[in-house]
């Protein structure tokens, strides 16, 4: 038996889902279609840096765009796994890229690392805290930027991530707001989609911060 709509709306506690309560796909159009920002970010990265590493990174961003779209469109348990897989593929490839940015063969371990890490944290260890794991991977990925890249771009990336995370938290419906939440007074019903757009900017900034000389 499929999951009921109330169960789907509550998954993630995204404000737009719980306020609009749409009984159709996409559950929320803005939360679903704003994921196109990740695909755009991947294409832009590849246009700026025409390398195999950039192609792998761009592909991972497209995987994230598709996985997160499916999650917000369907809000099912399986689509949640697709979203999780996409996120870890991007942050996994970013962390591996930081080991030797600019090396002609770094694309191979990037791809392998993305697949292995995504599969492990999505299907083998699904209870791993998503925010903690991504934070650790982002911190690891930033080390090359501080030591031998562009600290300025790294700071800019972290700043955009910080703003995005604040908006992300404002969008999450808290216990005391249930069962009938209202649009947030600051972010309205647009908060989670704004998270998609902002992180789609912050992630490539860190990629370029790693390899800047």
């Amino acid at each position: 038996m499929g999951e009921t709509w109330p169960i789907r709306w509550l998954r993630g506690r995204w404000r737009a889902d719980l306020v609009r309560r749409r009984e159709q796909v996409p559950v929320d159009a803005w939360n679903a279609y704003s994921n196109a920002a990740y695909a755009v970010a991947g294409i832009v990265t590849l246009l700026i840096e025409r390398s195999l590493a950039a192609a792998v990174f761009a592909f991972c961003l497209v995987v994230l765009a598709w996985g997160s779209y499916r999650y917000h469109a369907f809000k099912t348990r399986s689509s949640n796994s697709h979203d999780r897989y996409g996120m870890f593929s991007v942050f996994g490839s970013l962390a591996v890229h930081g080991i030797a940015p600019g090396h002609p063969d770094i694309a191979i371990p990037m791809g392998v690392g993305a697949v292995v890490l995504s599969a492990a944290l999505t299907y083998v260890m699904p209870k791993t805290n998503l925010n903690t794991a991504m934070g650790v991977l982002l911190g690891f990925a930033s080390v090359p930027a501080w030591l031998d890249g562009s600290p300025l771009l790294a700071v800019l990336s972290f700043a955009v991530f910080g703003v995005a995370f604040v908006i992300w938290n404002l969008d999450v419906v808290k216990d005391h707001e249930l069962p009938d939440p209202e649009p947030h007074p600051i972010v309205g019903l647009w908060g989670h989609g704004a998270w998609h757009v902002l992180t789609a900017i912050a992630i490539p900034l860190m990629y370029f911060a790693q390899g800047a000389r």
Side-chain angles (χ1 to χ4, degrees):
M1 181 180 295
E3 295 174 307
T4 64
W5 285 111
I7 290 176
R8 296 191 192 191
W9 297 329
L10 193 59
R11 177 167 287 120
R13 295 200 177 194
W14 310 125
R15 193 168 297 272
D17 300 341
L18 286 164
V19 171
R20 292 190 172 117
R21 301 184 183 185
R22 283 166 51 95
E23 295 187 1
Q24 58 185 320
V25 173
V27 173
D28 185 77
W30 169 240
N31 283 356
Y33 297 133
S34 57
N35 288 288
Y38 295 120
V40 172
I43 293 170
V44 171
T45 300
L46 187 56
L47 289 174
I48 294 174
E49 182 190 299
R50 296 176 182 273
S51 67
L52 188 56
V56 170
F57 186 61
F59 180 78
C60 290
L61 281 164
V62 171
V63 170
L64 172 55
W66 175 244
S68 193
Y69 159 76
R70 285 189 55 80
Y71 170 53
H72 288 287
F74 296 92
K75 294 298 293 294
T76 60
R77 185 176 289 107
S78 61
S79 63
N80 190 15
S81 295
H82 299 156
D83 183 26
R84 189 178 177 94
Y85 189 96
M87 285 186 279
F88 284 127
S89 69
V90 168
F91 282 89
S93 66
L94 183 65
V96 174
H97 176 257
I99 296 173
H103 193 284
D105 296 325
I106 192 61
I108 297 173
M110 280 176 67
V112 173
V115 170
V116 171
L117 190 66
S118 299
L121 294 177
T122 301
Y123 301 110
V124 180
M125 297 178 287
K127 293 185 178 181
T128 302
N129 184 277
L130 182 63
N131 290 333
T132 300
M134 288 198 299
V136 170
L137 287 171
L138 180 61
F140 181 81
S142 71
V143 173
W146 304 119
L147 298 181
D148 197 31
S150 172
L152 179 60
L153 284 179
V155 167
L156 183 57
S157 175
F158 273 119
V160 178
F161 268 120
V163 173
F165 194 67
V166 169
I167 293 174
W168 181 92
N169 273 285
L170 294 177
D171 187 72
V172 175
V173 174
K174 311 304 187 293
D175 287 341
H176 69 271
E177 298 179 89
L178 295 172
D180 297 308
E182 299 288 335
H184 193 275
I186 298 176
V187 300
L189 300 179
W190 305 90
H192 198 74
W195 156 267
H196 292 154
V197 174
L198 289 170
T199 54
I201 295 170
I203 292 168
L205 283 173
M206 186 59 72
Y207 175 88
F208 289 117
Q210 292 174 329
R213 293 292 187 270

